[in-house]
């Protein structure tokens, strides 16, 4: 498969954002978005005030923490200063003495990964609590504990980053990724790194068929807030992808759009199948579910596929850090997503300029597969290509209908076009009427 | 599954009609129809004169029998007074002496059920004969027999019963059952009992979405006679069911409509699948075939499914009597058919009032399945419901498309409607253009 | 299955054409076409000048050979006078001495069939060479050889034969076969014999629903030349078949049209399935590919199936001669193709004249399968026929939808029509818009 040149140092970007204790809305999230904005000229950071409505949802308050500790007999057992994951995300403030039994109800651990701090959160239920390595439970031998959580809920903005890259058509493809998940990297910063790298490549091009919207948001509520306030984006959007968890060694998981047989599903299926990489393709919401649940929801209806390497053992723990990331795996995923975009950019409706099978020998088009065996698969696709061109469907659609690689189809139709035997009729995906 | 309250004493109704020697047209059939009419205020008994045409069919004469015997050496071997099944239904009259060999050609037996009298009939071929238990053959030791069949063919009416129950729409659902089959009960009186019980329930309601036509007729020719004379019923009918043989212990057999993928097929499939009762679903005319062969024939085109417990060993013999009927089995079948009607009555097109996934926590809609595990299946259906609502298809249609229980779908869309998140757009099934 | 009477002596026709050294364009090909024209009054021989364009193709020059030998030490090792297959078809002229090593590069053999001369050709690559039995290689013991190939490339016509048989509609069915393949018979003259026999039968009829075009051409370039110069034929053509290799004992191979689900595919599938002959049905271009690659190509779009008995061991060798042909096998294939045509000719849209199931007994239509068990399959098809008639689809289409034999369907609908119960609404297949 084609390998693309890096447009940014993805590992450096991950390293810069990783330590920040990002969440739905707080100062660290704002800093992280600013780091992304700094590498994406033209990007806009847009805030939505807490308490305002977005469809059926309400924008939450910002949440800051200035300290959180558990002490017993003067000894500090847990301190959020050691790791922001130690306090449950969006925990209520609390101060007081609690018994051992009471404290246990407020401690989250991950028994299967006993040395890691689990990532715990409670955005909509009002609780307080801590997360600790499972192994630490044995240190809690006292009968009573002094607990203090200095968290603050503040009015203010939930922020998002967007960059609109205009194309020749208003039809827009949304590239969505998440900025949240404090101090974690694979989930979900790898999706941000890939999105930025792709955005830079698209920006560098002199023209694009489609317009693109890069969207970096806190999970779920971020895309809801943005789209509820940008109906014009919804109206123009013909597709999208969400990506994250791309830097580990597990197989790639392509998750289809809600419709399951959309244009993007054909591209996703082709690119994964012909990647020769370990992968699976699953139906909508049958793997990790993220902002495609927003983009591809009823009334929004942007056909959105996702790409991840979910699951992986370090998921939602303090072990999901920069050391986990394999730049080669990240590049593979980036290449696949870029390839999907580029096939869509190149796609056209092949219209033969004359009836009948093309006289290959007469145009020097007969591939010399006897001398170059690598041409054999291409030659074997000839019949399928020649006899499926119908002047109606695009290359991507025809390749999917015949179940041959999109790249083989382009091989032949591009060659025909070069010889004047075929006209490339423009193809732009339009938004389906709801 | 929901259990409905009995509206009539179904066993009592069966007991009252059972002894009558009903057939296509005779006095006992008329008495049976009058018994049904007495419990269904507004029901109309309508006659069609023998010799008149109904499409390609001719209404047969009435058939009465005043005596039928076989005697040998002064001893009576068979007497129709013992059981009306002893003489072949619609047998020609006959009087004379016959040899043993000749007589045997006119005797029907059922070797696999040697003590039972088989139900034999010949409506369109002119023959005479008797039915006897297979065991009785050994009694026929004489060389010659005196045979007398005093049957009469008379001009007169073939009668049917119908009750039209008007609804808010003229679109009509036909509930068809048979009154014929002399002294037998499971086949086909159980269908009449269920139809009457359902009719009473529908009558008791202050409003109905659909109109209903209860039709109690002799098999095949009865529905042909009625429909050939009521084209306005055909024109308004959007569906129907035929039922009989519902009171025995065998598994339920749902038989699809001719189209096989109609609205009613979706309902039939859902209700049987989620009944947790032993059952199978088969294609049109792949199980017992009855008046659905008329209702769902070309040119009539009323999509008609059927429900039976066919086959059963006592079928078409004197053993098919009131002792065979299990009231619990009958109620199960009644409940299933009523459930299908009620899902159709309740059905609507769910239209979300806003884009995006519904914020369940914000509306108190998150089912507490951790405390109440019975809610878990409902919770697991949420994603399927949330992401399939399209503003076009009805609840019944969407549930079938997603293969989740219709009741789960209503759980969510009803709750959304109650919170003002969803509008119930009216749905009335229309008749398909032929 | 119905057997048709021979219209011509197919073996005699094969015997007359067999010895000619036919190819794309030469004198022997012209003689062969004239032999066909002599038995088909009205047939037109039409030439297309070498060098002229036909779509993307160029009409090749004529090729004549006046002698071709290989000699060593004064001994003649190979002489084209012995068998025209000894020189590669369309070989360049050559004269000179060559080494043993050089000669070997110009010798074709067929190791798996060591006593046969393989049929070799090179229409578009300019080479010279000979074909010999593999066993002969041992005779080439000399170090040098005298080679002489007196072949000539001449300007002139590539000739084709066509016969247009007008019908009541302009919609045309094309029956295509090949005249080329020097001195070979099964491939492809058997297709010509069958086509001529069918043509004679069609001509003898007083009326035909469809028009027919009999086309006898050199493979590929022949049909390209003809159709490129006859766009009016393309515009009127609704179907076609290509046949050859029909006279050996192997199973029949039906090859579907490009669409795969066309009207002709239904006929092909039915006729093969109900023939009780060994056969298989494969997708377009998944068996031997011939002029259906032209007729059913994009822009020509004549749905074309083929029938062959490919493969067979003598294929493309000197063993493919008249002794290989079994007249019974040839007749079987002819009968199948004629049956397909006749079903299409007879096809109509059955429209019932009244609603409801037909009262069989009332019209004497109940088949007496108890006395005549051969009627049982017909009786078992009654329900499928009765309940699938929709007033929209034709008999052929309905039979395919219900997967019952077309002949069973006609049995019932013809009988209904005779009794005035059904109207035969005309059905003529129209050309699909491209």
């Amino acid at each position: 498969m084609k390998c693309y040149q890096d447009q940014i140092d993805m590992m450096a970007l991950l390293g810069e954002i990783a330590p920040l204790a990002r969440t739905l809305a707080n100062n660290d999230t704002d800093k992280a978005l600013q780091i992304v904005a700094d590498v994406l000229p033209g990007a806009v950071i847009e805030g939505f005030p807490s308490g305002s409505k977005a469809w059926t949802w309400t924008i939450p308050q910002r949440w800051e923490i200035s300290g959180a500790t558990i002490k017993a007999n003067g000894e500090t057992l847990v301190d959020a200063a050691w790791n922001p994951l130690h306090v449950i995300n969006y925990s209520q403030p609390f101060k007081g003495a609690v018994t051992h039994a009471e404290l246990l109800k407020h401690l989250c651990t991950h028994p299967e990964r006993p040395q890691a701090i689990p990532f715990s959160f409670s955005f909509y239920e009002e609780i307080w609590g801590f997360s600790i390595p499972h192994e630490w439970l044995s240190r809690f031998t006292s009968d009573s504990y002094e607990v203090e959580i200095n968290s603050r809920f503040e009015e203010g903005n939930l922020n998002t980053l967007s960059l609109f890259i205009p194309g020749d058509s208003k039809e827009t493809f949304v590239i969505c990724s998440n900025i949240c998940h404090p101090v974690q990297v694979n989930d979900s910063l790898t999706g941000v790194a890939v999105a930025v790298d792709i955005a830079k490549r698209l920006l560098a091009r002199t023209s694009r068929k489609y317009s693109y919207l890069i969207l970096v948001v806190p999970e779920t509520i971020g895309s809801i807030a943005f789209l509820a306030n940008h109906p014009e984006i919804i109206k123009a959007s013909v597709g999208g992808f969400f990506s994250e968890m791309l830097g580990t060694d597990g197989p790639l998981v392509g998750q289809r759009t809600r419709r399951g047989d959309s244009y993007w599903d054909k591209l996703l299926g082709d690119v994964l199948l012909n990647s020769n990489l370990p992968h699976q393709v699953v139906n909508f919401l049958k793997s990790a579910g993220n902002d495609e649940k927003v983009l591809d929801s009823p009334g929004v209806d942007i056909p959105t596929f996702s790409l991840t390497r979910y699951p992986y053992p370090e998921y939602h723990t303090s072990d999901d850090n920069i050391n986990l990331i394999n730049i080669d795996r990240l590049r593979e995923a980036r290449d696949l997503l870029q390839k999907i975009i580029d096939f869509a950019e190149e796609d056209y409706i092949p219209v033969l300029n004359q009836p009948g099978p093309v006289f290959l020998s007469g145009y020097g088009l007969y591939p010399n597969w006897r001398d170059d065996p690598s041409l054999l698969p291409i030659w074997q696709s000839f019949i399928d290509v020649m006899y499926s061109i119908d002047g109606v469907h695009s290359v991507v659609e025809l390749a999917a209908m015949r179940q041959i690689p999109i790249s083989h189809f382009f091989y032949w139709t591009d060659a025909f076009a070069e010889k004047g035997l075929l006209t490339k009729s423009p193809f732009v995906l339009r938004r389906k009427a709801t």
Side-chain angles (χ1 to χ4, degrees), chain A residues 369 372-382 405 408 412:
Chain A
W369 55 267
D372 179 357
S374 78
L375 289 172
L376 186 57
I378 290 281
W379 169 234
Q380 289 169 330
S381 294
F382 167 69
H408 288 199
W412 286 107

Side-chain angles (χ1 to χ4, degrees), chain A residues 292-355:
Chain A
E292 70 275 14
K293 291 169 81 169
V294 176
L295 275 69
D296 208 349
S297 64
V300 182
D301 299 309
I302 304 171
T304 304
F305 64 93
S306 78
L307 191 71
T308 69
R309 293 182 189 270
Y310 179 83
Y312 61 104
E314 301 84 358
Y315 174 75
H316 274 200
T317 73
S318 53
D319 290 343
D320 180 349
N321 55 47
I322 192 80
N323 300 320
L324 204 61
I325 307 305
N326 180 332
I327 181 66
D328 292 330
R329 295 292 86 76
L330 197 55
R331 283 181 179 133
E332 280 173 2
R334 186 268 323 274
D335 287 350
L336 287 168
L337 292 165
Q338 185 70 55
K339 191 78 212 151
I340 288 173
I341 290 172
D342 286 354
F343 275 151
E345 286 278 321
E346 295 163 30
D347 199 16
Y348 53 82
I349 298 172
V351 181
L352 286 163
N353 292 340
Q354 66 291 309

Side-chain angles (χ1 to χ4, degrees), chain A residues 2-14 36 38-41 163 165 175 192-206 208 214 327 330-332 334-335 337-339 341-342:
Chain A
K2 177 171 176 182
C3 295
Y4 290 87
Q5 285 249 312
D6 290 348
Q7 300 294 306
I8 61 162
D9 183 335
M10 293 193 283
M11 289 303 282
L13 183 67
L14 294 178
V36 177
D38 289 346
V39 290
L40 277 184
L163 169 65
I165 307 175
I175 297 172
V192 176
V194 162
V196 170
D197 188 83
I198 289 174
K200 298 289 272 187
R201 192 172 296 98
L202 292 173
L203 285 165
R205 293 179 180 173
T206 51
R208 291 159 295 270
I214 313 297
I327 181 66
L330 197 55
R331 283 181 179 133
E332 280 173 2
R334 186 268 323 274
D335 287 350
L337 292 165
Q338 185 70 55
K339 191 78 212 151
I341 290 172
D342 286 354

Side-chain angles (χ1 to χ4, degrees), chain A residues 11-290:
Chain A
M11 289 303 282
L13 183 67
L14 294 178
E16 194 176 358
I17 305 176
L20 294 167
R22 295 149 281 118
T23 180
L24 302 188
N26 70 355
N27 293 338
D28 268 14
T29 306
D30 296 350
K31 282 182 204 162
L33 291 175
Q34 189 56 51
I35 291 168
V36 177
D38 289 346
V39 290
L40 277 184
V44 174
I45 291 176
E46 184 173 0
F48 304 96
S50 53
S52 65
K53 292 285 287 182
W55 301 329
T56 58
W57 298 65
T58 306
I59 306 300
Q61 292 176 300
R62 292 169 67 93
W63 179 79
E64 300 287 352
I65 181 113
S66 50
T69 52
I70 305 175
K71 294 179 182 173
N73 308 320
E75 188 195 359
T76 300
L77 293 169
V78 182
D79 189 335
W82 301 344
N83 190 316
L85 290 176
H86 275 312
V87 67
I88 290 179
N89 218 258
Y90 270 73
S91 170
Q92 300 296 311
F94 184 82
K95 185 174 166 64
V98 295
T99 64
H100 183 260
E102 177 67 17
L103 180 66
L104 279 190
K105 295 186 200 161
H106 295 267
L107 290 185
C108 307
T109 73
H110 189 340
E112 290 79 31
R113 200 161 185 90
Q115 299 179 318
I117 313 165
F119 168 43
S120 304
F121 51 92
S122 182
F123 299 136
Y124 301 109
E125 196 184 352
E126 298 187 357
I127 61 171
W128 66 262
F130 291 81
S131 284
I132 59 167
H134 192 69
E135 287 183 351
W136 288 13
L137 284 177
S138 58
R139 304 177 190 175
F140 289 72
T141 52
S142 175
D143 287 339
S144 75
Y145 300 86
E146 293 299 316
V147 170
E148 184 163 1
I149 301 178
N150 290 311
S151 65
R152 297 188 312 279
F153 289 84
E154 299 174 345
E155 301 303 321
N157 278 349
L158 177 144
N159 286 313
T160 62
L161 177 147
S162 66
L163 169 65
F164 185 76
I165 307 175
D168 296 336
S169 77
K170 67 167 180 38
E171 273 71 19
T172 301
F173 186 82
V174 181
I175 297 172
C176 183
S177 58
N178 287 162
I179 196 68
C180 51
H181 286 32
V183 304
Q184 290 152 78
V185 178
N186 194 44
D187 176 8
S188 48
L189 290 187
T190 50
V192 176
V194 162
V196 170
D197 188 83
I198 289 174
K200 298 289 272 187
R201 192 172 296 98
L202 292 173
L203 285 165
R205 293 179 180 173
T206 51
S207 82
R208 291 159 295 270
K209 181 202 286 187
Y210 293 105
S211 298
Y212 293 85
L213 181 82
I214 313 297
L215 202 53
V216 181
V217 294
E219 186 173 340
T220 307
I221 187 65
S223 49
I224 288 173
F226 185 87
L227 291 171
N229 286 279
H230 288 284
E232 81 285 0
I233 291 288
I234 295 176
K235 215 171 142 187
S237 293
V238 295
F241 75 71
F242 177 86
S243 70
E244 67 178 6
M245 307 193 273
L246 298 169
T248 45
D249 284 331
L252 287 153
V253 180
Q255 189 179 256
R256 295 189 179 95
T257 71
R258 179 151 59 105
R259 270 181 43 203
D261 64 349
S262 75
Y263 185 73
W264 307 104
D265 294 300
K266 301 183 206 306
L267 283 162
L268 177 67
D270 175 273
V271 164
L272 280 170
L273 185 65
N274 295 297
S275 70
N276 292 320
L277 296 172
H279 73 275
Q280 52 174 322
V281 180
V282 301
N283 280 342
F284 190 62
L285 303 188
K286 295 300 177 197
S287 178
N290 292 279

